[in-house]
């Protein structure tokens, strides 16, 4: 299940895996100055659907204010909590800082409100992915000869079967991504 904690973890995982990706020259060993310079460099280049909202939340731009000038004049102390979080000195940071980090590393599902949507794809490799299951044509129970699995209902797959037990995984509500694993 997606939460603000899993959002934070996925952002950190992407940062640690890619060390900032396209921004690695700024984010590999981040400093307050490098975070600020990365923001300046990306300001006119990274303009996703929610990016202006993310930047307004962090920088608190005023109407009609020159955004570039505002960032250039910002004191480096504003970026210190981000540096501390990225290098592991702190385990948490503010939501505004987390969103700026997601923007800096180009985390696909930013901001948190997008990440939490039921139809948003997770970038986590730990999430259980259900195989696509086609509806049976006539009989609700049939044997799939190619991979020797039994499809019981359209949303259910047998994942392990022995003489004395059976383990199934069932997607109860595809919209909410509720799954159940049962061993009998």
């Amino acid at each position: 299940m997606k939460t603000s904690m899993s959002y934070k973890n996925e952002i950190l995982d992407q940062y640690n895996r890619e060390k900032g990706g396209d921004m690695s020259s700024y984010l590999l060993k981040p400093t307050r100055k490098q975070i600020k310079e990365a923001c300046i460099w990306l300001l006119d280049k990274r303009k996703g659907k929610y990016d202006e909202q993310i930047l307004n939340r962090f920088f608190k731009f005023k109407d009609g204010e020159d955004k570039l000038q505002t960032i250039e004049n910002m004191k480096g102390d504003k970026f210190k909590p981000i540096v501390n979080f990225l290098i592991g000195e702190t385990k948490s940071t503010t939501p505004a800082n987390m969103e700026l980090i997601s923007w800096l590393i180009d985390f696909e599902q930013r901001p948190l409100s997008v990440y939490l949507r039921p139809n948003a794809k997770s970038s986590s490799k730990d999430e259980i992915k259900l195989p696509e299951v086609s509806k049976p044509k006539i009989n609700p129970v049939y044997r799939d000869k190619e991979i020797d699995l039994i499809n019981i209902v359209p949303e259910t797959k047998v994942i392990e079967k022995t003489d004395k037990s059976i383990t199934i995984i069932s997607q109860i509500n595809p919209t909410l991504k509720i799954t159940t694993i049962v061993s009998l």
Side-chain angles (χ1 to χ4, degrees):
M1 178 195 260
K2 292 182 177 184
T3 64
S4 59
M5 185 62 77
S6 65
Y7 180 67
K8 177 187 91 164
N9 291 338
E10 286 195 37
I11 290 171
L12 272 177
D13 287 348
Q14 181 174 324
Y15 170 75
N16 289 323
R17 193 173 53 249
E18 300 175 5
K19 290 298 182 195
D22 293 342
M23 300 306 295
S24 62
S25 60
Y26 295 99
L27 301 176
L28 188 58
K29 294 186 179 188
T31 64
R32 291 177 278 186
K33 183 178 181 185
Q34 288 172 318
I35 299 290
K36 182 177 179 177
E37 288 174 355
C39 290
I40 291 169
W41 192 83
L42 284 174
L43 184 63
D44 291 328
K45 294 168 182 59
R46 192 162 288 159
K47 294 185 178 236
K49 184 175 182 180
Y50 301 98
D51 291 348
E52 188 171 338
Q53 169 189 332
I54 290 169
L55 296 175
N56 285 337
R57 183 174 184 190
F58 182 83
F59 292 109
K60 299 180 181 3
F61 296 126
K62 294 178 176 73
D63 286 337
E65 185 175 36
D66 182 346
K67 294 176 182 179
L68 179 61
Q69 190 71 39
T70 300
I71 297 172
E72 287 174 344
N73 292 336
M74 189 149 294
K75 293 184 179 180
D77 291 345
K78 176 85 170 163
F79 303 100
K80 183 68 174 160
I82 292 173
V83 172
N84 289 343
F85 182 72
L86 290 176
I87 65 174
E89 283 188 21
T90 58
K91 297 292 180 207
S92 63
T93 192
T94 66
N97 290 349
M98 185 58 38
E99 297 299 1
L100 187 71
I101 294 167
S102 73
W103 176 73
L104 287 168
I105 67 167
D106 202 17
F107 186 72
E108 186 179 318
Q109 296 175 52
R110 65 182 183 269
L112 176 62
S113 59
V114 170
Y115 174 81
L116 292 175
R117 289 182 186 156
N119 59 350
K121 297 178 282 178
S122 176
S123 60
S124 172
K125 294 178 180 165
D126 298 331
E127 186 175 311
I128 296 174
K129 303 271 193 274
L130 287 177
E132 291 296 320
V133 181
S134 60
K135 291 187 177 183
K137 293 183 178 157
I138 302 170
N139 195 346
V141 177
Y142 67 101
R143 182 170 293 280
D144 184 343
K145 292 179 180 158
E146 280 185 26
I147 48 180
D148 203 28
L149 294 178
I150 298 175
N151 292 317
I152 298 168
V153 292
E155 299 86 17
T156 303
K157 278 281 193 184
V158 173
I159 56 175
E160 183 178 358
K161 182 181 176 187
T162 66
D163 291 340
K164 297 182 181 183
S165 71
I166 185 169
T167 303
I168 62 171
I169 187 167
S170 179
Q171 189 165 8
I172 297 169
N173 185 332
T175 306
L176 298 176
K177 294 189 178 181
I178 299 172
T179 59
T180 303
I181 299 176
V182 179
S183 293
L184 305 170

